[in-house]
Amino acid sequence: MEYRLNYAIDALVAPLMLVFIELTLWLSLFAIPGRERIGGFDQNSYLSYVLWTAFISRISTTWMFEHRMIQEIETGTINTLLTRPLNFFEYYMSQFLGYKLMTSFFSLFIPMLVVAVMGLPTIWGRLVSALALVVYHLFFVQLLSFILATSAFHLTRVQGVSLVKNLFLGIVCGEWIPLDLVSEPLRHILLALPFSSGVFLPVAYITGRIDGHTFAQGFISTTVGLIVLGVMAPWAWKKGLEVYDGTGA
Amino acid sequence: MERGLRWLRIWRIYGHFFKTSLIADLQFRTNFMLQVLGDSIWYCGQVFIFEVLIKHTQTMGTWSAPQIRVFLGIVFLADALFMIFFHENLSRLTDKVRKGDLDLYLTKPISSQFFLSFQRVGTSYVINFFFGMIWLGYSLRADDLVLPSGDWSILILRGVWCGILMIAGLMIHYAVRFILLASSVIFTQSDNLQFLWYNAYRLGLRPHKMYLPWLRFLVTMVIPVAMIASIPTEALLDSLNWENLIWPLVVAGGLVWTSTVWWKFCLKRYASASS
């Protein structure tokens, strides 16, 4: 909370701006006379989706901590952690989870208030389980960021890799567009991947776009993703330390 | 004569900037390819979003699917041009102010704004420019694209004017970003302003004709992001509108002049961090 302005922008201003931009898109698309539904859903459904997505996506993204991890390795300041009885991954995971907990508390207040006032489609009983999936998904994204950060041991500039990964995630998680608008079989593939658990599955579940069965698959795919990344992470870390010579400090 | 020699000198300096940037970029070949890949994924993402939306809506504003694809081509070219000429320079400006590296630029016998804005050339994005050209060529040759009536000379004139408006849009984009970044000389932190501009820029990545009237006015007259891609596309596809042909040039000239005046104002308040 020392950097209150930065926090306010990250937790409040950023999602509000995102909501505004996406609202302009869907309001414009539905402004065409005779256009009542798009992809089987009405305007209010999309407004609700956009509102929840803007705030849920702030919780499930990890680029800030990813950049810090990469920078620590690039500059050699990781030496201070390596010489202490601290695990690099656990250190950043605890920071990450702590920050996200604070962000969630303030971020979710706004969409909850707006959907309640405007009466947008929201199934309140599903909110807790949706957030549970988001929190579960956080472990997956942080593990992914950790593995990507270890590439800083081998490459001189990793920010480009980080950018590519975050762009890709933005598309496949449903932040840019609801995944249920995508044609088959691509939709099936995207929903089967763990990335959709970060935004689309929890938001679509809250707004009633998907049923419980599809939602539950998010837990399964995220678990599979955690197992796969859980095997890769220690290997990537070990390989990175083997070539690390700590001259940046 | 003297002015001509000055321009020649600027072109020669820019030639050196290009050469050193290319050499530097080719030394980090992985990063070179990653930059190309990153922008390509962004292009694919834009195509993905619009193709999904068009599948369900058929039109956006008054533009049909083939016309939207032409608009996307203009977006890609506009983005590539900005990344080539300005992105690498502007993204490092606030760091230079914070670390005191700006002093090096202020002591050179050349305009500091020119030096800061043009020193690095994003040579890797030249490849993305060609991707954009390929997409634009592909979308212009679509069988179902309806172009405005007129013979070849009119079409060529439209193409030339589209190019001129794209340059105006590029200048507008540069000027606004430079003005916001220059404020870091006074305020130290201007990342928040950059964030606000980036979100405004995203409004310009969609056809302005699809927006509600009040928003269309906002993105054309107040925050002129529509001039980056929408107005040039309109010159290519729609009936000619003299307002949209002249106004972007006026705005571009005005904003570039404002950026120069603002930069000089900020420099008067600059306190070096290195001394």
Side-chain angles (χ1 to χ4, degrees):
Chain A
M1 297 301 289
E2 279 187 6
Y3 300 97
R4 285 183 285 265
L5 181 60
N6 274 346
Y7 179 79
I9 287 180
D10 193 36
L12 296 172
V13 176
L16 283 173
M17 289 217 65
L18 187 59
V19 167
F20 174 72
I21 287 164
E22 296 304 314
L23 277 181
T24 59
L25 170 68
W26 293 104
L27 286 173
S28 301
L29 288 174
F30 277 99
I32 304 293
R35 187 177 284 162
E36 305 264 325
R37 302 179 92 79
I38 295 175
F41 298 98
D42 63 9
Q43 179 177 281
N44 279 349
S45 178
Y46 283 98
L47 297 185
S48 185
Y49 183 91
V50 156
L51 190 61
W52 282 109
T53 295
F55 291 89
I56 296 282
S57 66
R58 302 310 299 171
I59 301 171
S60 59
T61 51
T62 172
W63 61 269
M64 188 167 73
F65 287 90
E66 186 174 280
H67 284 188
R68 281 190 201 169
M69 286 194 286
I70 291 169
Q71 221 171 12
E72 286 234 19
I73 296 173
E74 278 180 348
T75 57
T77 49
I78 192 178
N79 294 351
T80 54
L81 283 172
L82 293 176
T83 53
R84 288 183 187 164
L86 267 177
N87 182 296
F88 184 74
F89 173 73
E90 286 168 7
Y91 172 73
Y92 270 100
M93 177 60 96
S94 57
Q95 280 204 345
F96 174 69
L97 287 177
Y99 180 80
K100 289 299 175 185
L101 192 68
M102 290 302 295
T103 309
S104 311
F105 179 75
F106 289 105
S107 287
L108 291 175
F109 177 68
I110 292 175
M112 287 168 68
L113 185 65
V114 175
V115 297
V117 166
M118 292 179 66
L120 294 177
T122 297
I123 304 173
W124 293 104
R126 293 180 171 182
L127 186 59
V128 172
S129 41
L131 291 177
L133 180 59
V134 174
V135 172
Y136 191 45
H137 182 77
L138 286 180
F139 292 93
F140 173 79
V141 291
Q142 180 62 5
L143 206 45
L144 188 61
S145 293
F146 173 78
I147 292 171
L148 191 143
T150 59
S151 61
F153 287 118
H154 308 282
L155 302 173
T156 48
R157 293 188 200 178
V158 182
Q159 305 295 350
V161 181
S162 175
L163 175 68
V164 167
K165 170 226 151 205
N166 288 322
L167 277 173
F168 174 73
L169 283 187
I171 298 170
V172 299
C173 76
E175 183 182 347
W176 289 18
I177 198 152
L179 296 182
D180 49 18
L181 290 182
V182 179
S183 311
E184 293 287 3
L186 187 56
R187 185 197 321 174
H188 191 78
I189 295 169
L190 290 175
L191 291 184
L193 292 173
F195 310 112
S196 57
S197 303
V199 175
F200 176 73
L201 286 179
V203 174
Y205 189 57
I206 294 170
T207 55
R209 293 172 83 109
I210 59 171
D211 57 21
H213 178 255
T214 310
F215 173 70
Q217 284 176 349
F219 284 97
I220 298 170
S221 61
T222 304
T223 303
V224 171
L226 278 170
I227 292 169
V228 170
L229 294 185
V231 168
M232 285 174 63
W235 175 84
W237 178 250
K238 186 165 164 270
K239 284 291 166 200
L241 283 183
E242 280 171 10
V243 300
Y244 181 64
D245 52 18
T247 54
Chain B
M1 173 75 168
E2 206 176 291
R3 189 169 282 186
L5 284 173
R6 207 171 88 186
W7 277 105
L8 187 63
R9 184 168 155 253
I10 285 171
W11 276 112
R12 278 175 55 201
I13 291 170
Y14 192 74
H16 287 301
F17 286 164
F18 184 87
K19 212 162 60 174
T20 49
S21 299
L22 183 62
I23 291 168
D25 280 344
L26 289 176
Q27 282 186 346
F28 296 98
R29 283 184 286 269
T30 307
N31 194 58
F32 187 97
M33 292 316 301
L34 282 171
Q35 283 175 338
V36 173
L37 182 63
D39 247 33
S40 302
I41 289 179
W42 187 81
Y43 292 174
C44 291
Q46 298 302 311
V47 171
F48 174 74
I49 290 170
F50 276 98
E51 291 295 337
V52 168
L53 287 174
I54 288 168
K55 185 174 82 87
H56 291 278
T57 61
Q58 280 76 54
T59 59
M60 293 177 98
T62 57
W63 285 344
S64 61
Q67 290 171 316
I68 296 289
R69 291 188 188 106
V70 173
F71 167 76
L72 276 181
I74 302 290
V75 166
F76 297 160
L77 289 180
D79 177 75
L81 286 173
F82 186 82
M83 299 300 273
I84 291 169
F85 291 108
F86 300 117
H87 173 70
E88 299 266 331
N89 300 297
L90 297 185
S91 61
R92 292 168 201 204
L93 182 53
T94 49
D95 274 349
K96 288 183 176 122
V97 172
R98 242 179 267 138
K99 293 176 187 170
D101 295 338
L102 192 63
D103 299 358
L104 186 71
Y105 296 82
L106 299 178
T107 55
K108 293 286 185 283
I110 191 171
S111 161
S112 54
Q113 183 177 357
F114 170 78
F115 201 174
L116 284 163
S117 304
F118 289 94
Q119 185 191 16
R120 277 286 274 137
V121 181
T123 54
S124 58
Y125 301 109
V126 173
I127 297 176
N128 294 103
F129 180 80
F130 284 115
F131 286 165
M133 288 290 287
I134 290 169
W135 177 265
L136 184 62
Y138 155 75
S139 53
L140 282 172
R141 288 184 61 86
D143 292 334
D144 48 355
L145 176 67
V146 177
L147 286 171
S149 58
D151 59 22
W152 278 108
S153 60
I154 299 291
L155 288 176
I156 288 170
L157 185 66
R158 282 177 178 274
V160 168
W161 205 259
C162 174
I164 292 171
L165 290 178
M166 278 182 64
I167 293 171
L170 180 67
M171 289 290 103
I172 289 169
H173 190 179
Y174 157 74
V176 173
R177 268 206 73 184
F178 188 83
I179 288 168
L180 293 174
L181 282 162
S183 60
S184 65
V185 173
I186 299 175
F187 301 119
T188 309
Q189 285 271 8
S190 71
D191 295 339
N192 304 330
L193 292 174
Q194 292 304 309
F195 171 76
L196 292 175
W197 166 250
Y198 174 68
N199 282 283
Y201 173 66
R202 286 182 61 197
L203 288 173
L205 297 181
R206 294 169 187 156
H208 73 312
K209 288 194 163 195
M210 66 175 276
Y211 290 137
L212 299 170
W214 63 269
L215 187 56
R216 203 179 311 148
F217 176 81
L218 186 76
V219 300
T220 313
M221 296 293 176
V222 180
I223 312 169
V225 290
M227 296 186 187
I228 294 172
S230 286
I231 304 293
T233 309
E234 210 176 32
L236 205 56
L237 298 178
D238 288 345
S239 52
L240 291 173
N241 179 335
W242 287 107
E243 272 176 14
N244 282 350
L245 293 180
I246 303 299
W247 180 240
L249 302 182
V250 172
V251 172
L255 280 173
V256 171
W257 176 82
T258 304
S259 71
T260 306
V261 169
W262 177 244
W263 178 240
K264 287 178 181 158
F265 175 82
C266 291
L267 284 183
K268 285 187 184 149
R269 282 146 184 81
Y270 174 61
S272 170
S274 66
S275 51

